[in-house]
Structures are given as C-alpha cells and as structure tokens.
Amino acid sequence: MNTTLSLLKPTGHLTLGNLLGALRPMALAQDGSDCFYGVCDLHALTVAQDPARLRASVREVATLLLAAGLERSTLFIQSHVPSHSELAYLLESTAYVGELNRMIQFKEKGRGQPSTRASLFTYPTLMAADILLYRPTQVPVGEDQRQHVELTRDLAIRFNATYGPVFTVPELVRPALGARVMDLADPSSKMGKSHADGSGIIYLLDSPDVIRRKVARAVTDSDTGSDAVRRDPVNKPGVTNLIELLEAAGGSLESITTYGALKTATTEVVVELLRPLQVRYAELAQHPDHVQARYAAGAARCREVTAPVLLDAQAAMGIG
Ligand code: ATP
Ligand code: MG
C-alpha cells in the first residue's frame, strides 16, 4: 500500500479553502493508502507565535481533522514525534546555505531582515525530514511547495550518494484536484487562514449567520445583463469564485440568474456542507480525552514507523 503524508500548520482557524482544497482530498486518499496526517506545530515556530494561542490552535486543528472525516488515518502532532527534528538536524548538516538561500518563500518572507528567525531559513530541511521519514514513493505537491519538495529530493539523493542508500527518493506528482477558493472580499487572492482581514474568509467554525453575512458582502461587479451569472476569471473574478464555491460545495447553478440568488444558494450549500462537521466538532470538543488519545496513538505509530529510518541515517553518518 502506498503512503500518503500531509501536514497542516496551526497558524489560524481553518478555512473553507483548507476544507475543499486539502481536507476533502485528504479524506478521499484514505481509500487505498496508508495516510499520515499531522499538525506541524514546529513549522509554526518559524515566525513569532503567542504560546497560549499556538496551543489552542493546535487543539482546534487536531479536532477539526477528526471532525472532517480523517478518522481512518494516523493523526499526529509533529512535535510529539521527535524523529522529525532529529532527522532535520542531520539534513541541515547535508544542505548548503546557498540552496536554502534560493528558496522563494525565504526570499519573500524573511531574507535580509535581521530579526528573521533562523528556523525560517532552515525549515525546508525540517520539511524534508517530515517527508523522508515516511518513505513515500510519491509526494503530491501544489505550486507553492514545489521548490521545497525538489530540495527534499536533492537532499535525499546527495545523502544517499555520500553516505549510502538510506532514503527513498520521492517522485513529485500532481495533487488530487481540489478546489481553489479565493477570498470573498478580494477575489484576486487565495482564502488563507493567516490573513489579517477575515471579512472575506469563511472559517470552518463560522456560524450560519456569519457565513450569510460574509457571502452577502462578497465582491461581484455591476454587470446586470441576462448572462451576468457566468464564469469569467479575468473579468468577473468575484462571480467566478462564487460559482466555483457553489459547485464545489455540492450546489448547482441551474436556474440562477441574479447575483442575489447566487449568493443565497452559495450560502445554503456552504452552511449545509459545514453543518455535520460543526456538529461533530462540538461533540469532540466535549471529549478532549478522546481526541488526545487518538493523537497519542497516532504519534506512537509515527515513532515506530520512523525510528528505523532515523537509525539508518544516523548509522550511515557515523553517529547514534
Ligand atoms: P496560510 O495563510 O498560513 O498560508 P493557508 O490557509 O494558505 O494558510 P496552508 O497551511 O498554507 O493554509 O495550506 C494548507 C492546505 O490547504 C494546503 O494543501 C493548501 O493547498 C490548502 N489551501 C489553503 N488555502 C486554500 C484555498 N484558498 N483554496 C484551496 N486550497 C487551499
Ligand atoms: Mg498558504
């Protein structure tokens, strides 16, 4: 059976974009592959976090993964599996400053700023460890993480050539096609959980009233023609986003001719899509012990699965 691996950063409340673009494909992958899904709290530390908020965010994301139907997977919290940071250090000791310096995300988010955390610079090696520890043969990757996964391959190839064949070099593949949801208030940018202005972002735990209000205020345009409700990503990004959201959430455009009707229908399907998830979340939130036990068992399995890979890497390098 092939191995599927995916990590979510606990850097805010999860959004409808995360559900349709990530959690839904992750749930589907459970058929036919051994899935490891983690909350990557260590990656969150590459920028300043309030400790109490980080803890709350980890708990919320962990509970949401269960509520979103990932219960057939091995669920874990990254910092509970120490081999991730141990292997990251070994990989840091094979990576070159030059190649880390070329990472686009580092260039855009931190290079040249004196108070950028060192971990923002080295985190691609932690990400490489996250992947290589589980020996997946394929890694589905979207555009924004492509360069990091290519680096993962380079590090694995270099390690194997220098120290002996320890790592499986994963192949990059296209991700299962999830929807891409844009910000309702700014349809030129992705709906992202860490954006400061949440007015155009639907969070998974938003109440029906809040969802209604956010969709009602979604940016459209002043087109009043009989064919105003149509896809046109270039000239009508807001309307296009609402149509795609409506359809991704299970609705249909049939007989919808006005923006008002489009917004009402979109609100309805989104509220219905989120209802069972929110009910399940509320139940799980009443039983934190159950959630904790699931993640403790998941971390135990991760420690077991990753231990031989770490040991092999250590032995090959002459330590451990
Ligand atoms: P951040 O603002 O911190 O980057 P994010 O919401 O973009 O947060 P990520 O942690 O970057 O979330 O990504 C988690 C997963 O959710 C990834 O698989 C990513 O492709 C997916 N995802 C994030 N936002 C969207 C979106 N708007 N539409 C579809 N998929 C999304
Ligand atoms: Mg993102």
Side-chain angles (χ1 to χ4, degrees):
M1 189 149 56
N2 68 318
T3 298
T4 298
L5 183 85
S6 193
L7 302 181
L8 275 108
K9 235 186 328 168
T11 44
H13 303 294
L14 294 189
T15 73
L16 194 55
N18 297 134
L19 179 69
L20 297 173
L23 301 184
R24 198 147 78 172
M26 284 159 69
L28 291 172
Q30 293 178 120
D31 294 319
S33 80
D34 188 9
C35 297
F36 293 85
Y37 293 139
V39 183
C40 47
D41 51 354
L42 297 175
H43 287 293
L45 297 178
T46 52
V47 296
Q49 302 286 346
D50 173 69
R53 273 182 61 178
L54 177 59
R55 190 175 295 285
S57 185
V58 169
R59 190 177 307 136
E60 184 178 295
V61 174
T63 308
L64 275 171
L65 295 187
L66 268 175
L70 302 181
E71 58 273 274
R72 287 183 288 142
S73 304
T74 299
L75 300 172
F76 67 101
I77 293 167
Q78 188 188 26
S79 65
H80 298 185
V81 186
S83 51
H84 286 247
S85 27
E86 292 179 59
L87 183 61
Y89 181 75
L90 302 188
L91 294 174
E92 249 177 62
S93 305
T94 64
Y96 302 140
V97 169
E99 62 196 345
L100 294 179
N101 226 345
R102 281 197 295 277
M103 294 294 115
I104 295 160
Q105 291 206 0
F106 177 67
K107 281 198 225 173
E108 285 176 353
K109 291 188 182 167
R111 195 164 81 180
Q113 298 165 32
S115 58
T116 293
R117 295 185 169 194
S119 59
L120 189 70
F121 181 63
T122 58
Y123 103 89
T125 62
L126 176 58
M127 186 169 156
D130 297 333
I131 295 171
L132 296 175
L133 279 171
Y134 294 85
R135 295 196 158 130
T137 52
Q138 299 190 323
V139 177
V141 61
E143 263 327 296
D144 58 338
Q145 290 301 325
R146 193 177 176 87
Q147 197 189 22
H148 292 150
V149 183
E150 274 163 2
L151 176 72
T152 300
R153 277 174 56 87
D154 292 344
L155 296 179
I157 291 168
R158 185 181 308 150
F159 188 103
N160 289 348
T162 311
Y163 298 109
V166 169
F167 297 121
T168 301
V169 181
E171 185 195 345
L172 272 71
V173 296
R174 282 171 168 282
L177 211 57
R180 188 171 149 83
V181 185
M182 309 308 281
D183 192 302
L184 299 177
D186 172 15
S188 64
S189 87
K190 233 180 54 167
M191 192 181 272
K193 65 176 141 51
S194 66
H195 297 177
D197 175 9
S199 63
I201 300 177
I202 297 178
Y203 298 104
L204 298 185
L205 297 177
D206 276 350
S207 69
D209 273 349
V210 169
I211 295 170
R212 192 166 300 117
R213 203 167 341 120
K214 287 177 175 172
V215 176
R217 288 199 193 137
V219 169
T220 52
D221 51 57
S222 53
D223 190 350
T224 51
S226 59
D227 64 345
V229 180
R230 65 171 194 278
R231 277 189 178 76
D232 180 346
V234 176
N235 300 306
K236 301 167 73 72
V239 172
T240 304
N241 187 36
L242 285 171
I243 293 173
E244 293 190 343
L245 185 49
L246 171 72
E247 295 189 343
S252 152
L253 200 56
E254 213 175 309
S255 76
I256 292 180
T257 54
T258 65
Y259 293 165
L262 175 62
K263 287 179 170 180
T264 306
T266 303
T267 302
E268 271 167 25
V269 291
V270 169
V271 167
E272 287 317 311
L273 176 73
L274 295 184
R275 191 189 303 281
L277 181 147
Q278 294 185 351
V279 168
R280 181 96 181 98
Y281 180 88
E283 283 165 11
L284 289 165
Q286 297 291 311
H287 299 97
D289 294 356
H290 170 75
V291 177
Q292 217 198 338
R294 273 301 307 249
Y295 278 80
R301 175 158 188 248
C302 291
R303 286 193 292 267
E304 204 176 291
V305 167
T306 60
V309 183
L310 178 65
L311 276 174
D312 281 359
Q314 288 173 326
M317 291 182 99
I319 63 162

